[in-house]
Amino acid sequence: MTATHEDIVARVTAHDRDDRVVADRPDLRAAAVAVVVLDDPQRGPGVLLTRRTSRLRDHPGQFALPGGSVDPGEDVVTAARRELDEELGLRLPQAAVLGLLDDYPTRSGFVITPVVMTAAGAVADLTPSPDEVARLYHVTLDELDVEPRYLTIEESPRPVVQLPLLGHRIHAPTAAVLLQFREVALHGRSTRVDGLEQPVFAWR
């Protein structure tokens, strides 16, 4: 049974208040991603996911949530909202923010903070930036509710996580964030993902 809007609001809010893990990593740059649950009139509620253009310097061509570095003077919520506007033309107010998921330190030098928001509107009305977004996806909550796959690699004792979505295998950090959102928001389960590894190609 798919979680209701009220379920998602209550569970994310409670996780942020009572259960969230904050990474104490001053050696890494702060970044934020937007986990936006968009209630599309045709498809219903789902999470916005992008594929980055091949022209970007960092992680070209990879699946990603809208987001980027936290600028001086910003907090993670402000950064996530700004990046969402810049990448997809979606400007959401502070009131759209439900809360934060766990920080995820990456191999490429960032601590990513996922900011969960809700919005209503049609995916077709969004205007992805051609400089950053090769393609925009709306992954319904039913589509997102898939079991992860785990791989072992020689380079790390931690398992590499994959989510089978959109006919592809999506990796951490995006897969880790989406997996925790699935567990917390859709099932009400406290699940940690900072012990999940990225594939070696994403370490740079």
Side-chain angles (χ1 to χ4, degrees):
M1 180 178 177
T2 302
T4 66
H5 176 79
E6 290 74 18
D7 291 334
I8 293 171
V9 171
R11 291 166 179 171
V12 171
T13 301
H15 179 86
D16 187 8
R17 182 187 64 234
D18 302 326
D19 203 31
R20 189 172 97 84
V21 171
V22 178
D24 183 17
R25 293 294 303 272
D27 55 313
L28 302 180
R29 293 175 60 189
V33 295
V35 184
V36 180
V37 183
L38 182 76
D39 193 359
D40 181 88
Q42 301 297 322
R43 293 173 53 79
V47 174
L48 297 176
L49 186 66
T50 72
R51 192 156 197 177
R52 295 165 62 82
T53 70
S54 59
R55 299 184 300 275
L56 290 173
R57 181 186 63 184
D58 295 327
H59 309 299
Q62 294 183 24
F63 288 95
L65 294 158
S69 297
V70 177
D71 288 345
E74 286 186 326
D75 58 21
V76 292
V77 171
T78 303
R81 291 169 56 214
R82 172 182 55 76
E83 291 282 353
L84 184 63
D85 185 19
E86 292 175 0
E87 291 187 28
L88 301 182
L90 180 56
R91 185 171 297 178
L92 295 182
Q94 178 75 30
V97 177
L98 303 185
L100 312 179
L101 298 178
D102 291 2
D103 288 348
Y104 183 87
T106 76
R107 290 282 191 170
S108 55
F110 294 90
V111 170
I112 296 176
T113 301
V115 181
V116 182
M117 312 180 208
T118 59
V123 179
D125 292 339
L126 299 178
T127 54
S129 167
D131 294 330
E132 298 189 62
V133 179
R135 187 169 178 183
L136 172 63
Y137 301 89
H138 180 260
V139 184
T140 68
L141 299 184
D142 285 340
E143 292 169 339
L144 183 62
D145 196 12
V146 296
E147 291 301 317
R149 299 173 179 175
Y150 300 101
L151 304 178
T152 58
I153 58 174
E154 294 181 356
E155 294 85 351
S156 173
R158 301 191 298 166
V160 173
V161 62
Q162 298 177 336
L163 281 184
L165 293 171
L166 306 171
H168 296 269
R169 294 179 182 179
I170 297 175
H171 298 87
T174 300
V177 172
L178 290 177
L179 175 59
Q180 187 174 54
F181 174 79
R182 168 191 182 261
E183 290 293 288
V184 170
L186 303 189
H187 295 287
R189 297 191 289 242
S190 178
T191 301
R192 301 300 174 209
V193 295
D194 56 350
L196 300 178
E197 184 62 271
Q198 301 169 246
V200 174
F201 67 76
W203 289 18
R204 298 177 295 278

